[in-house]
């Protein structure tokens, strides 16, 4: 029997919300759309208040020194500006829409930036970094179509996305992590989860940095103790805060540490410095809005947003679900200029979730059921002081992140009199607090080199409490050497309790040097030192990369390095295995990445990359090793062993066309293998060994509202309904994404009936694991389509989208559910899923 997986954290096999409820929700949104669109008629545009602007600052890549007299042009028009002595520019009187900019200056590589949205009555700020071409003893020329390699920090496998690309990405739901999942080398574990899983790695191997602040997880509804990864069903990070997104799937430099696979760098925009503005929005994830404006004195700005779920306001029984999760989040950024060379940015992100699922299901027959209470809370706050010193710049970052997750299982039973009796069977609370101080410096000592150095201090605290009530189980006497004629033995487990409160300190430093002996060759070498006092571990990780633009539009690059990552605090600090696990060495991955890049024009890119990752010091439970090697199923141990290894390798092809005119899209294909080896299970495919992954996206931007025939039809009495269809805006985008993936490995379960001899000497009917990761789920296939519409009227804008995910309703398997009665059920990922969102900017 197939079931649809919903966003509910209570049970992954709950039935979906009935179509009637979804239709009611959509009609509410559509009615709001009609009211907003009709409001367009009341706004005249006789003045220029609706016009927007692009302003910004052009600086040198390595030192952030201003680039004066640079030309900033809007391609295809005569509009443009030149930067002043501070590198600042502003292009005014722009009609609302999406623009590109071409920036050029003597002695610097020309650069083109795409997908710059301009809203009515607002300006869009950009910081544009140019690569210097000047090399001592070499004549300086500017080549328009020359390929410019990535920054020294991310020399290979790096992709850059802008806000608008994330907002309108089909299948992305305006979630930056879901958008990144479409890039080469990145796979998904489940439609419910936005975890970034890269090149055979695990969900906790990605490092996320927000304006210089390292964060663990920004998602709602991360279940129970499973807070080790970076994923979740709903991202609390507001897309409206994004300016630039840079993702590297491997080969990153010594600047980044304590992660094995990838880096996601999010640069947030600042609030408006010209006027107060805001927006209100609603979609399936929640409702809220944001506000922005200048601070007194004109030297800074603020940007603040808040959202919360609203479905919990509706009676769940009317929609066929057991309960609604309740969650909210808030985010803020404040910027202030102490001087033209000293800039302060303060960021805060808060989120909280609550689930109370103690109500008796309507289909209950025996009067017994389990309930769940879940409460999670996360906070990230920090500040970055960026100072430009003439030949370089420094970032001083201070921050704190906290995460708390507590859950409780409730056993409920109704007696003959109808009275409900409840008791707690399991309760857990986990809390982490991590402070951080980082000092980074980047600069140029000579015209053709670049230095980078940094120091980090990260003290943290880990708290954990756990309780589970005792239980009993029937064991098979015959297997245990007893008398088979007697009744099976009853083994009683006592209540279990654990309480942990430990602290530790992580220290890191790095030094990196980039040398450009010619304008075509870039060499970067560096090293990183990490120390963890609690585990008594010190690691040294060398990194090296090289890039050669052997022809104007071609480049070859490679990177090699050692990467280390400390284990989750629960491995070191939980009391049961602390004596053995405290000094476990950090996990290690040796990476090598090499590839070719071809840029036929500034808006297009073709790449081919190969990678190899050799993992060591991965963990395997001693309990599993002893049980598998000796068949002693009674053996128990909380000790971890560092005996597991893994090898991942693959080839990735990627083609991209930016939105330079009307069409844009990407095409990627990856083939890879990830094979694990440990003393318990031998050699086997690792959990995320997907082998074949192909993804294609395609988009087209147009505007039917300027078509005379369409305008004539839509203004007729029978054409009103087109106002609620997202095809009639001043700017309309149609897009689609298709992804095909090999099925990932899983371990099947085998049912043993009551009294039947099994590897586990249990008398009762039960499931046991078969050969580890010996089977695969069926092939994953998903096709999403999306339409975005932007209406501009006066100084306001209406933006709404309609997205249909899994339009062909492909039955993608999420998991197999093994029931206590010996029946296996299939849990499906999202079936055909309609999503509508609307935002009104003012």
């Amino acid at each position: 029997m197939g079931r649809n997986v919903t966003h509910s954290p209570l049970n992954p096999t709950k039935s979906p919300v009935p179509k009637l409820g979804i239709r009611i929700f959509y009609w509410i949104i559509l009615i709001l759309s009609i009211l907003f669109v009709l409001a367009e008629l009341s706004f005249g545009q006789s003045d220029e208040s609706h016009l927007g602007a692009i302003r910004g600052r052009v600086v040198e890549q390595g030192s952030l020194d201003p680039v004066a007299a640079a030309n900033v042009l809007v391609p295809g028009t005569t509009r443009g500006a030149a930067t002043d002595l501070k590198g600042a520019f502003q292009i005014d009187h722009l009609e609302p829409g999406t623009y590109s900019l071409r920036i050029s200056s003597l002695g610097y590589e020309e650069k083109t930036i795409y997908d710059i949205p301009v809203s009515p009555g607002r300006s869009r700020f950009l910081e544009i970094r140019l690569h210097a071409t000047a090399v001592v003893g070499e004549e300086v020329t500017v080549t328009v179509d020359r390929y410019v390699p990535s920054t020294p920090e991310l020399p290979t496998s790096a992709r850059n996305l802008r806000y608008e690309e994330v907002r309108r990405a089909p299948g992305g739901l305006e979630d930056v992590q879901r958008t990144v999942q479409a890039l080469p080398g990145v796979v998904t574990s489940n439609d419910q989860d936005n975890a970034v899983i890269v090149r055979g790695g695990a969900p906790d191997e990605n490092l996320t940095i927000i304006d210089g602040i390292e964060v663990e997880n920004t998602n709602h509804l991360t279940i129970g103790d499973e807070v080790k990864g970076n994923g979740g069903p709903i991202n609390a990070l507001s897309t409206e805060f994004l300016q630039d997104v840079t993702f590297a799937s491997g080969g990153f430099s010594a600047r980044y540490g304590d992660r094995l696979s990838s880096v996601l760098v999010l640069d947030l925009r600042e609030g408006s410095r010209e006027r107060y503005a805001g927006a209100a929005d609603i979609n399936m994830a929640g409702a809220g809005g944001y506000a922005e404006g200048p601070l007194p004195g004109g030297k800074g700005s603020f940007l603040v947003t808040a959202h919360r779920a609203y479905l919990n306001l509706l009676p769940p029984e009317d929609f066929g679900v057991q309960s609604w999760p309740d969650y909210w989040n808030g985010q803020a950024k404040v910027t202030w200029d102490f001087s033209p060379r000293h800039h302060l940015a303060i960021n805060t992100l808060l989120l909280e979730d609550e689930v109370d699922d103690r109500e008796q299901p309507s289909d209950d027959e025996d009067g017994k059921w389990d309930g769940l209470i879940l409460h999670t809370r996360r906070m990230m706050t920090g500040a970055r002081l960026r100072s430009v010193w003439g030949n370089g710049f420094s970032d001083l970052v201070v921050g704190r992140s906290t995460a708390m997750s507590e859950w409780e299982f409730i056993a409920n039973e109704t007696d003959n009199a109808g009275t409900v009796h409840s008791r707690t069977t399991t309760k857990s609370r986990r809390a982490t607090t991590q402070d951080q101080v980082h000092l980074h410096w980047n600069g140029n000592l000579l015209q053709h080199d670049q230095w980078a150095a940094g120091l980090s201090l990260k003290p943290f605290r880990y708290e954990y409490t756990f309780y589970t009530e005792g239980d009993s189980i029937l064991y098979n006497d015959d297997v245990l050497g007893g008398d088979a004629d007697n009744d099976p033995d009853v083994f009683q487990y006592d209540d279990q309790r654990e309480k942990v409160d430990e602290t530790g300190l992580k220290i890191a430093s790095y030094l990196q040097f980039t040398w450009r002996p010619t304008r075509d060759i870039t060499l970067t070498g560096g090293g990183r030192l990490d120390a963890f006092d609690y585990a008594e571990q010190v690691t040294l990780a060398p990194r090296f990369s090289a890039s050669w633009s052997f022809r104007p539009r071609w480049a070859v690059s490679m990177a090699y390095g050692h990467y280390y990552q400390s284990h989750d605090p629960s491995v070191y600090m939980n009391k049961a295995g602390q004596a053995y696990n405290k000094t476990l060495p950090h996990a290690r991955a040796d990476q090598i990445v090499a590839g070719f890049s071809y840029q036929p024009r500034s808006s297009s890119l073709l790449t081919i990359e190969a990678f190899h990752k050799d993992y060591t010091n991965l963990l395997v439970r001693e309990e599993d090793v002893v049980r598998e090697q000796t068949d002693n199923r009674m053996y128990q141990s909380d000790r971890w062993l560092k005996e597991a290894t893994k090898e991942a390798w693959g080839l990735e092809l990627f083609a991209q066309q930016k939105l330079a005119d009307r069409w844009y899209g990407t095409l990627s294909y990856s083939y890879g293998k990830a094979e694990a080896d440990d003393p318990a299970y031998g050699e086997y495919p690792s959990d995320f060994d997907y082998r074949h992954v192909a993804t294609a996206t395609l988009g087209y931007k147009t505007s039917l509202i300027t078509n005379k025939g369409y305008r004539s039809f839509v203004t007729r009495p029978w054409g009103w309904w087109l106002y609620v269809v997202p095809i009639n805006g001043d700017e309309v985008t149609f897009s689609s994404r298709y992804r095909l993936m090999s099925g990932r490995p899983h371990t099947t379960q085998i049912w043993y009936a009551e009294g039947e001899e099994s590897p586990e000497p249990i008398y009762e009917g039960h499931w046991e694991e078969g050969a580890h990761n010996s089977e695969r789920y069926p092939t994953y296939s998903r096709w999403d389509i999306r339409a975005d519409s932007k209406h501009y009227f006066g100084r306001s804008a209406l933006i709404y989208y309609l997205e249909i995910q899994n339009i062909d309703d492909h039955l993608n398997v999420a998991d197999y559910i093994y029931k206590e009665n010996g029946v296996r059920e299939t849990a499906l990922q999202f079936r055909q899923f309609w999503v509508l969102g609307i935002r009104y900017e003012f």
Side-chain angles (χ1 to χ4, degrees):
M1 179 176 65
R3 297 187 177 184
N4 191 62
V5 178
T6 73
H7 280 308
S8 172
L10 310 179
N11 188 337
T13 61
K14 282 184 177 293
S15 299
V17 177
K19 292 183 178 180
L20 176 61
I22 296 178
R23 290 172 181 171
I24 293 174
F25 172 78
Y26 288 152
W27 275 110
I28 293 174
I29 301 300
L30 293 178
I31 291 172
L32 290 175
S33 300
I34 295 172
L35 295 177
F36 281 132
V37 174
L38 292 180
E40 179 180 356
L41 302 176
S42 64
F43 285 86
Q45 295 189 5
S46 57
D47 59 17
E48 297 183 351
S49 63
H50 70 287
L51 298 178
I54 300 176
R55 66 181 185 89
R57 183 170 55 249
V58 179
V59 297
E60 195 272 328
Q61 170 73 39
S63 65
L64 298 191
D65 281 338
V67 177
N71 295 313
V72 184
L73 303 176
V74 180
T77 74
T78 59
R79 308 301 305 276
T83 59
D84 60 20
L85 294 177
K86 297 179 181 179
F89 71 91
Q90 183 158 330
I91 304 174
D92 294 313
H93 302 95
L94 296 176
E95 291 288 344
T98 303
Y99 291 87
S100 301
L101 287 184
R102 181 180 298 130
I103 306 95
S104 61
S105 180
L106 184 64
Y108 294 89
E109 299 283 2
E110 184 176 281
K111 186 173 188 177
T112 304
I113 300 177
Y114 300 94
D115 270 319
I116 306 171
V118 175
S119 299
R122 302 191 188 189
S123 66
R124 176 70 59 171
F125 179 85
L126 305 173
E127 182 180 85
I128 303 169
R129 301 186 182 187
L130 298 183
H131 290 263
T133 60
V135 177
V136 175
E138 182 178 295
E139 182 180 355
V140 175
T141 58
V142 176
T143 305
V144 174
D145 55 5
R146 171 171 293 276
Y147 174 78
V148 179
S150 303
T151 64
E153 288 78 18
L154 303 171
T156 60
S157 310
R159 310 282 181 249
N160 181 263
L161 301 170
R162 299 194 61 79
Y163 152 78
E164 186 67 8
E165 294 176 281
V166 176
R167 188 200 65 78
R168 66 162 187 260
L173 296 177
E174 299 191 352
D175 179 345
V176 63
Q177 291 185 212
R178 293 186 185 274
T179 303
V180 166
Q181 286 177 337
L183 295 177
V186 186
V187 297
T188 58
S189 61
N190 192 300
D191 287 345
Q192 274 191 287
D193 196 348
N194 65 5
V196 177
I197 305 169
V198 180
R199 292 177 172 174
D204 64 345
E205 294 179 15
N206 177 74
L207 173 64
T208 301
I209 300 176
I210 301 177
D211 272 1
I213 305 166
E214 297 181 5
V215 298
E216 292 292 328
N217 196 310
T218 61
N219 292 283
H220 286 290
L221 303 174
T222 51
I223 308 301
D225 290 335
E226 299 300 322
V227 294
K228 303 174 185 178
N230 57 61
I234 301 171
N235 204 328
L237 184 65
S238 174
T239 305
E240 292 304 307
F241 275 60
L242 294 177
Q243 177 161 295
D244 285 300
V245 177
T246 303
F247 177 73
S249 54
F252 45 92
S253 74
R255 161 71 173 78
Y256 307 102
D258 205 21
R259 288 298 185 274
L260 297 178
S261 287
S262 56
V263 176
L264 178 62
V265 180
L266 307 177
D267 293 323
L268 308 186
R269 74 176 180 93
E270 63 178 42
S272 173
R273 297 198 179 198
E274 286 78 29
R275 70 178 184 95
Y276 296 103
D281 62 79
I282 184 171
N283 54 45
M284 287 294 290
Y290 71 85
E292 61 181 317
L295 294 177
K299 292 187 176 182
S301 66
F302 71 89
L303 177 60
V304 60
T305 184
H307 288 81
R308 75 163 300 148
Y310 57 85
L311 293 179
N312 59 303
L313 303 177
L314 305 175
E317 60 273 10
D318 293 348
F319 291 83
V321 296
Q322 195 164 311
S323 65
W324 295 115
D326 184 18
Y327 55 86
W328 68 271
N329 60 73
Q331 188 176 351
K333 179 174 181 176
V334 177
T335 59
W336 183 260
D337 298 332
F338 291 108
S339 72
R341 289 181 171 270
H342 301 279
H343 177 80
L344 177 68
I346 302 174
N347 281 282
T348 297
L349 175 65
L350 302 170
L351 63 98
E352 190 165 8
D353 316 313
E354 289 187 3
V355 174
D356 193 334
D357 184 31
R358 287 179 288 186
E359 297 299 324
Q360 183 174 0
S362 58
D363 60 353
D364 182 73
E365 296 180 355
D366 60 6
K368 299 180 181 180
W369 72 98
D370 291 329
L372 170 68
I373 301 174
L374 170 69
H375 181 208
T376 61
R377 182 174 60 248
R378 297 181 182 277
M379 180 197 73
M380 180 276 290
T381 185
R384 180 178 65 187
L385 176 63
R386 172 162 289 174
S387 301
V388 180
W389 303 105
N391 65 339
F393 70 95
S394 64
D395 283 341
L396 175 60
V397 180
V398 296
R400 164 171 284 196
S401 61
T402 62
M404 185 280 297
S405 176
E406 56 185 359
W407 53 272
E408 181 177 0
F409 277 114
I410 307 294
N412 306 286
E413 186 172 355
T414 305
D415 60 21
N416 294 332
T419 303
V420 176
H421 302 276
S422 301
R423 72 181 190 278
T424 297
T425 59
T426 304
K427 186 174 184 179
S428 174
R429 182 182 187 275
R430 168 182 166 134
T432 58
T433 301
Q434 179 169 287
D435 297 315
Q436 53 187 290
V437 180
H438 310 282
L439 178 61
H440 307 286
W441 181 83
N442 289 72
N444 303 326
L445 298 183
L446 299 173
Q447 287 182 311
H448 57 285
D449 66 4
Q450 182 177 334
W451 289 87
L455 176 66
S456 298
L457 301 175
K458 296 194 296 184
F460 73 93
R461 180 181 182 183
Y462 171 73
E463 301 172 87
Y464 178 73
T465 57
F466 178 79
Y467 161 79
T468 185
E469 71 174 0
D471 198 2
S472 60
I473 193 169
L474 296 179
Y475 275 88
N476 194 325
D477 273 309
D478 187 36
V479 175
L480 295 178
D483 186 353
D485 295 332
N486 296 333
D487 293 333
D489 284 342
V490 178
F491 284 79
Q492 183 72 38
Y493 293 92
D494 296 330
D495 293 350
Q496 298 181 34
R497 289 180 171 83
E498 185 172 1
K499 184 175 182 180
V500 179
D501 189 348
E502 299 283 352
T503 60
L505 174 65
K506 295 181 180 180
I507 303 175
S509 63
Y510 68 91
L511 180 65
Q512 179 175 290
F513 174 66
T514 299
W515 182 41
R516 297 186 67 186
T518 72
R519 60 179 304 193
D520 301 320
I521 297 176
T522 302
L523 304 174
T524 300
R528 181 179 181 90
L529 183 71
D530 286 272
F532 182 21
D533 70 335
Y534 189 89
E536 302 175 5
Q537 296 295 312
V538 179
T539 61
L540 178 62
R543 314 275 173 87
F544 173 79
S545 67
S547 177
W548 176 32
S549 299
F550 58 92
R551 297 190 65 182
R553 300 179 182 182
W554 292 82
V556 59
S557 59
M558 65 81 62
Y560 173 79
H562 297 175
Y563 299 83
Y564 292 91
Q565 181 172 337
S566 58
H567 304 292
D568 187 81
S570 61
V571 172
Y572 302 108
M573 298 178 174
N574 281 3
K575 294 297 184 182
Q578 191 180 55
Y580 312 103
N581 302 328
K582 183 176 180 180
T583 58
L584 284 169
H586 292 178
R588 172 174 169 172
D590 296 342
Q591 288 192 37
I592 183 169
V593 184
F596 287 92
S597 301
Y598 172 58
Q599 192 168 23
R601 62 183 70 88
S602 61
S603 61
S604 304
L605 180 64
L606 302 173
T607 65
I608 301 176
E609 281 195 340
F611 69 89
H612 183 272
K613 298 163 69 175
D614 189 14
Y615 288 83
T616 54
N617 294 341
L618 300 183
L619 302 183
V620 59
R621 288 186 177 275
E622 182 184 62
E623 178 178 296
D624 293 333
V625 174
V626 173
R627 288 187 174 194
E628 294 296 326
Q629 291 185 353
T630 66
D631 285 334
N632 179 11
R633 299 292 170 167
M634 302 299 293
Y635 184 83
Q636 293 183 335
S637 172
D638 292 296
R639 185 174 185 175
W640 290 94
L641 305 177
K642 62 175 183 62
E643 305 302 325
T645 62
K646 183 167 62 175
E647 181 183 21
W649 60 269
L651 180 69
E652 299 169 355
L653 309 177
F654 180 66
Q656 181 181 36
Q657 172 61 48
K658 293 277 190 177
L659 179 57
D661 184 18
R662 293 188 178 276
W663 291 95
Y664 65 92
T666 62
L667 179 64
S668 67
Y669 168 74
S670 303
Y671 174 77
K673 294 183 68 175
E675 298 284 341
D677 187 4
D678 64 53
Y681 306 109
E683 297 182 1
Y684 57 91
S686 73
D687 291 343
F688 300 102
D689 176 41
Y690 275 91
R691 302 295 169 91
H692 299 277
V693 181
T695 308
T697 63
L698 182 66
Y700 179 74
K701 181 173 73 74
T702 185
S703 178
L704 292 178
I705 205 169
T706 59
N707 183 281
K708 291 183 179 180
Y710 178 83
R711 292 296 299 167
S712 175
F713 182 85
V714 79
T715 54
R716 296 178 183 272
W718 55 82
W720 65 269
W721 59 273
L722 286 175
Y723 273 108
V724 301
V725 181
I727 62 173
N728 65 334
D730 297 274
E731 191 170 289
V732 178
T733 304
F734 302 99
S735 57
S736 178
R737 182 176 82 177
Y738 178 73
R739 167 161 276 203
L740 182 68
M741 297 193 300
S742 302
R744 70 182 178 93
H746 74 96
T747 301
T748 190
Q749 303 281 314
I750 302 171
W751 173 256
Y752 292 91
E754 181 174 317
E756 183 178 350
E757 183 176 339
S758 65
E760 290 279 358
I762 300 175
Y763 184 83
E764 301 168 345
H766 64 284
W767 293 95
E768 289 192 20
E769 292 185 352
H772 194 69
N773 280 1
S774 59
E775 296 190 8
R776 290 181 178 269
Y777 293 113
T779 299
Y780 176 96
S781 172
R782 178 172 144 181
W783 179 24
D784 306 326
I785 63 172
R786 177 180 172 117
D788 291 79
S789 181
K790 294 184 178 182
H791 294 263
Y792 305 125
F793 45 95
R795 303 181 75 182
S796 302
L798 173 70
I799 303 171
Y800 62 106
Y801 66 87
L802 174 64
E803 181 168 314
I804 307 176
Q805 297 189 351
N806 196 9
I807 188 172
D808 59 345
D809 200 25
H810 192 271
L811 302 182
N812 294 310
V813 175
D815 200 0
Y816 295 118
I817 308 300
Y818 300 91
K819 309 292 287 186
E820 293 182 359
N821 59 1
V823 175
R824 189 185 84 168
E825 296 183 350
T826 300
L828 298 177
Q829 303 191 46
F830 287 143
R831 304 284 298 272
Q832 188 184 95
F833 191 56
W834 291 55
V835 181
L836 185 66
I838 183 171
R839 181 169 66 255
Y840 177 62
E841 297 179 348
F842 52 86

